[in-house]
Amino acid sequence: MSEVKREQQSHLALVGQPTAPEIDTLERPSYAVYEGQTLVDGKLFRAGTWFHGIKQGQGDDIGQPFDLWICAPLHVDAETLNSDDGSVGRLLRFKHRGKVIEYVMPMEALAGKGEEILKALFRQGLKVEYHQRRYVPAYIASHHDLNRVLATTTKPGWHDASGAFVLPSKILGGKDVRFQDSGKGAHLFSERGTLESWQSELAHYCQGNPVLILSVSCALAGPLLSKVGVNGGGVHLVGDSSSGKSLAQAIAASVWGDPSRFAASWDMSRGGIEIEASSRNDTVLILDEIKRADPKRVQEMAYAIANGTGKGTMTREREGRPKLYWRVLALSSGERSLSEHAAISGNAAHAGAELRMVDVNAGTRTYRAFDDVHGMSGATFHRKLTTATAHHFGVVGPAFVERLIKETDPDVFYQRFAEVRDAFQAEGPQAGRVADRFAIIGLAGELATSYGLLPWKCDDAASACRQLFEEWLLTVGDGNAEDRQILSALSDFIAMHGDSRFSDIAATLPNPNVKHRAGYYEIEGLKRFYLFNRASLSEAASGYGRERVIRTLETYGVLAKVDSGRNQKNYRLPGGGSTRFFVIDPDKLDAERQGGR
């Protein structure tokens, strides 16, 4: 070691700093990263990313070396390959106030002058020498043919290639995958408190409350959807204002993050719903107050949530933008059901939308949304749990996923799901799909209980889900939802237009007071049958084809009279002539639509 180097090392020791590592040779021009003070060619450099250049001279002059401090230590650790669209990037790493920051940078951010990457790094706290900032993109771009290659994804949830569960702030069950985002999105997944505090301050008080048990279990069920092949969809908490619906949603949101950030609202466009669902993939989408949704679009949005596929769009260059995809259960709330809210716009309710967002009674229980307030008044119970959701959140969801990852036998989830599902009595295929949803929610609660993550007793979650499913089944019946809607529409049409658009078929002359005639009625004893013409049958059950309506009427025995080989009956008309009508028994309409089949 030269005398100069020895003096420099002695100086560092005297001022209490560790001895600087030493680099004897240095190629120029080149970039270098020093984590601490480093001796290079006898010169001491402080920690940071440096550009060691050489200013070219004239003629045979070999040039003058120079050294520029560009920024704090910035490492390019790996090449990244996005699993969603195949784009390439770089994994950057640096520290801000002692915290390690990783940032997945798309290579396209280096286009032009690289201002996009500078903005992203500035935003996340990288210290940069402002006047030398142009060297930062050049430094990153100088890293070619990196040995390490990582997969990235732009949405949370299961990463199929690696088997890991990706969250923006952590990777569960894998190391060779990273979450990639712009850095501008809201921090949905956050933590506060401990698992024990969440259990004692929130989960404990869910016991005895089916709606709260369902809500927490729904939040945990997202990671299980792909494990057992159950489709997405949702449950819709229905109750008057201030009944406790929002509290149930806040407790559910606390499974994954701060409820004030993690919960969303119905007040958004179809595109907004797609973004919110994708950003919560494999977890839970919480939507507060359905009254804020556009009544004309709310059913379309319910379909989108359940189907898990966004709309295709085009760029200005007429190239297809990548669609958004997701698997998610939704926990919605409102003072009205989805069909009631859609009806405000004059649109007929679609049975498929109702089945994808199933109503749950959260307003007329013992204490409105609650069944047990644990010895407190309803107001005290509500206030205590609302306060607790702001201090304990974001720990049980990741802990649940970590336990799922440890299950080495994939069939265990199918077996446990089958056990829970067998206890649900549903004969019709549509009720069966709803039962699947309640069963997967119940399974999530049961698994979390068996893992020691929920302080509940065995079967608490499954029992609560069965109870709420049976309440739903009593309300809508076990039959076909489209059939129920058709029968209900015909009954409502008769109730509204019975005397204004129908008249007695036995009259000598047609009633001149009937405008926009829908048909006639026939009286036999104390009973009145309604004779619908073809146009009025389609009008009454708007949204369904005539053949579909006739099939329902035949299935439920609503057609009281028919001619041989037909589904209509021929009648002589008042004033002369004849035509065929669909003869409806209104008693059959009411009996079948209320009781189902």
Side-chain angles (χ1 to χ4, degrees):
M1 179 182 296
S2 69
E3 189 64 28
V4 173
K5 293 179 182 177
R6 186 177 293 106
E7 290 180 0
Q8 290 172 330
Q9 298 283 23
S10 299
H11 173 72
L12 291 173
L14 288 173
V15 298
Q17 296 186 14
T19 301
E22 184 177 344
I23 298 175
D24 290 328
T25 59
L26 179 66
E27 293 184 4
R28 295 175 182 271
S30 67
Y31 294 94
V33 180
Y34 307 131
E35 283 295 332
Q37 294 191 93
T38 304
L39 282 172
V40 181
D41 287 341
K43 185 178 179 180
L44 189 62
F45 292 89
R46 64 186 175 109
T49 304
W50 289 80
F51 176 63
H52 300 296
I54 186 166
K55 186 176 181 180
Q56 295 297 330
Q58 296 180 352
D60 296 332
D61 190 349
I62 61 174
Q64 182 67 32
F66 67 93
D67 305 290
L68 297 176
W69 189 87
I70 301 170
C71 63
L74 176 64
H75 300 272
V76 182
D77 286 341
E79 178 178 303
T80 62
L81 184 63
N82 191 293
S83 301
D84 304 321
D85 61 13
S87 60
V88 175
R90 296 288 184 265
L91 178 64
L92 309 182
R93 173 173 53 88
F94 60 94
K95 289 183 179 180
H96 176 64
R97 296 187 179 275
K99 180 182 178 181
V100 176
I101 306 294
E102 284 192 341
Y103 173 61
V104 177
M105 181 213 74
M107 288 299 288
E108 63 188 28
L110 293 174
K113 296 182 179 180
E115 292 182 355
E116 186 177 339
I117 182 58
L118 287 171
K119 288 178 181 179
L121 294 174
F122 277 135
R123 186 187 309 115
Q124 297 177 79
L126 178 67
K127 295 179 180 178
V128 177
E129 177 58 51
Y130 185 76
H131 296 292
Q132 311 300 341
R133 64 190 184 279
R134 64 186 177 89
Y135 286 96
V136 174
Y139 159 69
I140 298 171
S142 69
H143 290 75
H144 305 287
D145 301 323
L146 296 167
N147 293 327
R148 189 182 181 196
V149 180
L150 300 180
T152 64
T153 179
T154 56
K155 63 184 179 183
W158 295 111
H159 185 255
D160 295 336
S162 65
F165 194 91
V166 178
L167 292 174
S169 59
K170 64 177 68 176
I171 308 299
L172 305 174
K175 295 180 179 180
D176 293 333
V177 61
R178 292 293 188 275
F179 183 77
Q180 179 174 348
D181 68 352
S182 64
K184 298 179 181 179
H187 296 287
L188 299 178
F189 297 87
S190 54
E191 295 183 10
R192 186 173 182 181
T194 64
L195 175 61
E196 291 73 22
S197 66
W198 182 87
Q199 290 172 331
S200 62
E201 297 299 320
L202 287 169
H204 168 75
Y205 294 102
C206 294
Q207 296 177 97
N209 286 291
V211 170
L212 298 185
I213 289 175
L214 173 85
S215 299
V216 170
S217 300
C218 182
L220 290 168
L224 286 173
L225 293 176
S226 63
K227 300 291 185 183
V228 297
V230 172
N231 294 327
V235 290
H236 179 60
L237 307 180
V238 183
D240 291 341
S241 177
S242 303
S243 66
K245 307 183 301 297
S246 294
L247 172 59
Q249 291 182 296
I251 296 174
S254 73
V255 168
W256 293 102
D258 182 350
S260 66
R261 294 185 179 183
F262 192 85
S265 170
W266 276 105
D267 185 16
M268 68 181 85
S269 65
R270 161 67 187 263
I273 279 284
E274 294 179 5
I275 293 171
E276 296 290 354
S278 180
S279 66
R280 294 164 177 80
N281 179 58
D282 284 328
T283 60
V284 64
L285 174 62
I286 296 174
L287 297 168
D288 190 21
E289 292 301 339
I290 200 170
K291 66 183 179 183
R292 298 177 182 174
D294 181 353
K296 296 180 180 179
R297 307 294 298 276
V298 67
Q299 297 187 94
E300 176 189 349
M301 293 160 79
Y303 274 109
I305 292 168
N307 294 345
T309 304
K311 279 188 174 181
T313 58
M314 303 288 285
T315 66
R316 291 181 179 179
E317 293 76 22
R318 297 191 177 277
E319 297 176 344
R321 295 183 189 276
K323 290 183 180 180
L324 295 176
Y325 296 91
W326 57 86
R327 287 181 302 248
V328 74
L329 286 177
L331 181 65
S332 170
S333 72
E335 298 168 28
R336 295 185 289 261
S337 69
L338 183 143
S339 59
E340 290 171 340
H341 187 65
I344 294 174
S345 66
N347 291 333
H350 299 299
E354 290 183 329
L355 291 171
R356 285 161 175 78
M357 198 66 68
V358 180
D359 292 341
V360 168
N361 174 21
T364 61
R365 317 193 75 82
T366 306
Y367 302 94
R368 308 191 81 177
F370 314 123
D371 291 58
D372 184 355
V373 292
H374 293 256
M376 293 175 264
S377 68
T380 301
F381 182 77
H382 191 286
R383 185 165 51 251
K384 176 180 175 61
L385 268 64
T386 299
T387 302
T389 60
H391 296 88
H392 313 281
F393 54 77
V395 289
V396 68
F400 181 62
V401 171
E402 287 177 340
R403 291 302 305 266
L404 296 181
I405 292 172
K406 292 180 180 179
E407 296 283 3
T408 56
D409 181 7
D411 291 337
V412 69
F413 299 114
Y414 290 104
Q415 295 167 0
R416 291 295 303 273
F417 176 72
E419 293 170 2
V420 175
R421 177 64 175 82
D422 285 346
F424 286 77
Q425 301 300 317
E427 296 180 4
Q430 292 183 340
R433 288 198 294 272
V434 175
D436 288 347
R437 192 175 315 148
F438 278 92
I440 194 71
I441 294 172
L443 172 62
E446 291 301 316
L447 287 173
T449 300
S450 68
Y451 295 155
L453 302 176
L454 292 173
W456 304 342
K457 297 186 294 294
C458 178
D459 198 49
D460 275 359
S463 177
C465 291
R466 287 195 303 271
Q467 177 184 340
L468 295 175
F469 170 74
E470 289 167 2
E471 291 177 5
W472 172 81
L473 201 60
L474 285 173
T475 301
V476 303
D478 200 3
N480 183 283
E482 286 84 359
D483 288 342
R484 288 194 301 272
Q485 287 194 340
I486 290 170
L487 298 175
S488 178
L490 289 170
S491 182
D492 292 343
F493 188 87
I494 291 172
M496 289 189 294
H497 305 298
D499 290 315
S500 63
R501 298 182 64 183
F502 295 85
S503 63
D504 192 350
I505 192 71
T508 304
L509 296 173
N511 187 340
N513 296 320
V514 173
K515 309 296 183 183
H516 307 292
R517 181 176 294 281
Y520 294 86
Y521 57 77
E522 181 179 29
I523 299 175
E524 290 187 359
L526 299 177
K527 191 164 187 175
R528 179 186 286 193
F529 297 100
Y530 284 87
L531 285 55
F532 279 73
N533 58 39
R534 292 173 64 85
S536 62
L537 191 70
S538 298
E539 179 188 350
S542 176
Y544 293 96
R546 187 182 296 119
E547 294 302 319
R548 178 67 180 86
V549 175
I550 293 171
R551 187 166 73 247
T552 296
L553 299 180
E554 291 177 333
T555 300
Y556 288 83
V558 178
L559 295 175
K561 300 179 181 182
V562 295
D563 289 333
S564 177
R566 294 180 177 274
N567 48 37
Q568 295 171 280
K569 183 172 179 58
N570 192 56
Y571 281 86
R572 297 289 300 176
L573 297 175
S578 66
T579 191
R580 298 184 184 279
F581 294 98
F582 297 97
V583 184
I584 303 294
D585 182 347
D587 293 342
K588 282 281 189 178
L589 286 176
D590 287 334
E592 297 302 338
R593 73 174 178 134
Q594 292 174 12
R597 271 176 76 96

